[in-house]
Amino acid sequence: MRTPSLHSRRLSLLLGALALSTPALALAQDEDDAPIAYPEDDPSEDAPRKLPRRSEDPTADFDRMRDDDEAEGDFERLAGDDDPNKGLAGELILGAMLLDSSQGKFADATVGVGLRFTWEFGRLLNNEPLRETVWADVRWMTAGLSNGTELIHGSSRSHYFSVAPAYEYVFGEAKKFGIFGQLGGGFAFQTTSLTIGEEITPIKGMKPLLQYGIGFRGRPRLNEKVSLSFRFELMRFRRGYLDDTFLGGSVGTAF
């Protein structure tokens, strides 16, 4: 009778121990599986500083700072530092000059010749869009007429001196071609002579000059420092109350 009672007590103790051990194991497992607290999750510690996200566009930061007046001085403009050209050109001009007729005709056609020197002063502005789009000409041209009989005849020659700035719309991958408009001024010097028999009467005079017109300009490069410079233009010269029209072109070199 004592043996079964002993076994019953041992079985009761074993079952009780198992029942108490289940919560303890669960508590230990919960403590082991708990996530590790990182500084950004734990408000008691300082969170690490997050790095700024890098822009996918490498020029985005520059464009943003370019628009910022305070950051304007942080960038040094390098427009043209790698361009060996000086923006100077010299050309020989040849074409048809239509002189305003004093006889009531449409015009007196003759040949116009001259010289022209070009300076791309836009390079001084250190601004890429204006480097080759603004320039100025110093021009000399001449044209003359002669008519009459062997006994009485007259001749006249006009010289045009002008300084004319221009604005050019350039196109093409190398931006060496463009369409331009030009407006300037100067003076016209005219010499006239009337011959009657053997007697010659000279007349000289000077008038203010207004020059304006349009044209096409090209500067294809021949080598690193020299370019071929050419131009086709329709230009008018107003001297006093007379309007002379030049239709022609020029060719030369640019440096």
Side-chain angles (χ1 to χ4, degrees), residues 72-179:
E72 186 68 22
D74 295 342
F75 292 94
E76 180 182 358
R77 296 185 181 274
L78 301 177
D81 285 3
D82 58 346
D83 188 355
N85 294 331
K86 304 300 182 182
L88 302 176
E91 299 174 354
L92 175 65
I93 307 172
L94 179 63
M97 180 69 81
L98 305 178
L99 299 175
D100 201 345
S101 177
S102 60
Q103 301 176 1
K105 299 187 299 184
F106 169 70
D108 292 322
T110 184
V111 177
V113 298
L115 295 173
R116 172 172 46 225
F117 297 96
T118 303
W119 177 36
E120 296 175 354
F121 65 89
R123 296 170 178 265
L124 298 178
L125 305 177
N126 201 23
N127 187 296
E128 188 65 27
L130 298 179
R131 279 181 53 78
E132 299 175 349
T133 59
V134 290
W135 40 269
D137 287 337
V138 177
R139 177 196 299 248
W140 164 77
M141 286 193 65
T142 183
L145 285 175
S146 179
N147 52 34
T149 64
E150 293 184 0
L151 180 61
I152 302 175
H153 67 273
S155 63
S156 65
R157 178 162 293 277
S158 297
H159 300 269
Y160 308 87
F161 300 90
S162 63
V163 177
Y167 179 81
E168 180 180 357
Y169 172 75
V170 294
F171 55 85
E173 184 177 356
K175 296 184 179 180
K176 296 302 180 182
F177 301 93
I179 300 173

Side-chain angles (χ1 to χ4, degrees), residues 10 12 18 36 65 75 171 175 177-178 188 197 229 242:
R10 289 180 179 177
S12 299
L18 291 176
I36 301 175
M65 296 189 70
F75 292 94
F171 55 85
K175 296 184 179 180
F177 301 93
S229 178
L242 301 175

Side-chain angles (χ1 to χ4, degrees), residues 1-39:
M1 298 298 293
R2 295 179 60 184
T3 301
S5 176
L6 181 59
H7 286 298
S8 299
R9 290 181 180 179
R10 289 180 179 177
L11 181 58
S12 299
L13 292 175
L14 180 59
L15 292 176
L18 291 176
L20 293 176
S21 62
T22 301
L25 290 175
L27 180 60
Q29 184 177 3
D30 293 340
E31 293 177 354
D32 294 338
D33 293 343
I36 301 175
Y38 288 93

